Amino acid sequence: MTRRWIVLLAALALVLVAGAVALRFSAVKGLEWTRVVPAGDCRCADGSEFAFWERRADPAKVVLFLNGGGVCWDATSCAFTGEHGESDFYDWSSRGVEPENRSGMFDVTRSDNPFAEYSYLYVSSCTGDAHLGNASQAYTPQLTVEHRGYVNGTAALDHLARHYPGATEVVVVGKTAGSVAAPIYGGLVADRLPGARVTVFGAQSGAWPDHPDFNAGVLDARWGAYKAVPAWAVDELAVRDWGVPRFWSQAGRHDPQLVLGRFDFADDPHAASELARWTSGSTLDVITANEAAIEAAGVRLHSYTAPGDDHGLFEFGKFYTIKVRGVRLVTWLGALIGDAPPGDVGP
């Protein structure tokens, strides 16, 4: 082979490699995130800076993703221990909780991802209050926790309304503890963007309790949630009567156009393990009772319950492989955000 041909082949190889890199960069570029630091009184539990993340795609379709991150309500569980702002109980700063280019619902290259074309606002919890709190709580003379989850979350909502005023579809997705307040945020989105179709999909908080002591002692006394949320979310309910399942019924009654759905693993050992003192019966028993109470209030709650003791969903390949009674979760979820919400699926 002559030197001329060797040079030509080498040049062609460089062109092909450059093309492959460009294609890969183009695909990855769609997953890039922009860090947004809102103004106002936003902060994490330790008083440090709060931020959320944005991925801009179709401005008419938006996912408001309320990340998990654990919860706390006493000096032990709320202590600022561990590294990178994370303890065994909750995330107390925004260090290390930024989104990654993950799999699951964040793999926008998959044709079966119902959110592939959506813009995302990714709101992590760093306040130990399930995106609900507005209180500065002194647990000891050395430990003051800023439970400002509701302040942080509504700052992200303000960004949504300001930068996506023409949105026609908004899906509020809540992960674990982040799904507790998801229906309240769904109602708030509907208030801010009345022209949008709003769907709420909360995953893995179906077993959270409706117990008077938890409602008054944690939601209100520790986190200040009862006083923080809008009037329609309380609607003259007494503090001890205002429990997590009622977030769904209050939101559905406030805006009957909301589409509400939830997902749980039937025997998830982590779903509400820290709340055991306020619950009784199996995880599935609590989930079933909560859903019955919500629907008894006249609110339709679409449900998908998978068998087993698994945990985790949105960032994993199982988001696409879970199938119960012949119905794939991702197909069911596509119907939930579509024009014909699906029937319930269970083990």
Side-chain angles (χ1 to χ4, degrees), residues 120-151:
Y120 282 73
L121 294 181
Y122 185 106
V123 185
S124 284
S125 173
C126 61
T127 53
D129 57 24
H131 302 276
L132 284 167
N134 188 14
S136 183
Q137 194 66 250
Y139 288 101
T140 71
Q142 296 77 35
L143 178 66
T144 296
V145 174
E146 300 296 335
H147 290 301
R148 305 292 182 180
Y150 186 77
V151 179

Side-chain angles (χ1 to χ4, degrees), residues 4-93:
R4 180 182 179 187
W5 277 106
I6 292 174
V7 171
L8 286 173
L9 288 173
L12 178 59
L14 287 173
V15 169
L16 291 173
V17 170
V21 170
L23 286 172
R24 184 180 179 186
F25 177 77
S26 176
V28 173
K29 186 175 182 181
L31 297 172
E32 289 183 342
W33 299 93
T34 299
R35 188 172 184 267
V36 180
V37 180
D41 295 328
C42 298
R43 69 197 76 171
C44 290
D46 64 340
S48 61
E49 182 179 81
F50 166 76
F52 59 90
W53 288 264
E54 179 178 27
R55 179 235 180 191
R56 291 193 67 90
D58 187 342
K61 299 179 178 181
V62 187
V63 167
L64 176 66
F65 186 83
L66 301 176
N67 196 20
V71 291
C72 74
W73 48 73
D74 56 32
T76 299
S77 60
C78 289
F80 303 144
T81 58
E83 298 180 356
H84 309 298
E86 299 173 305
S87 75
D88 291 338
F89 298 98
Y90 77 122
D91 297 333
W92 46 267
S93 89

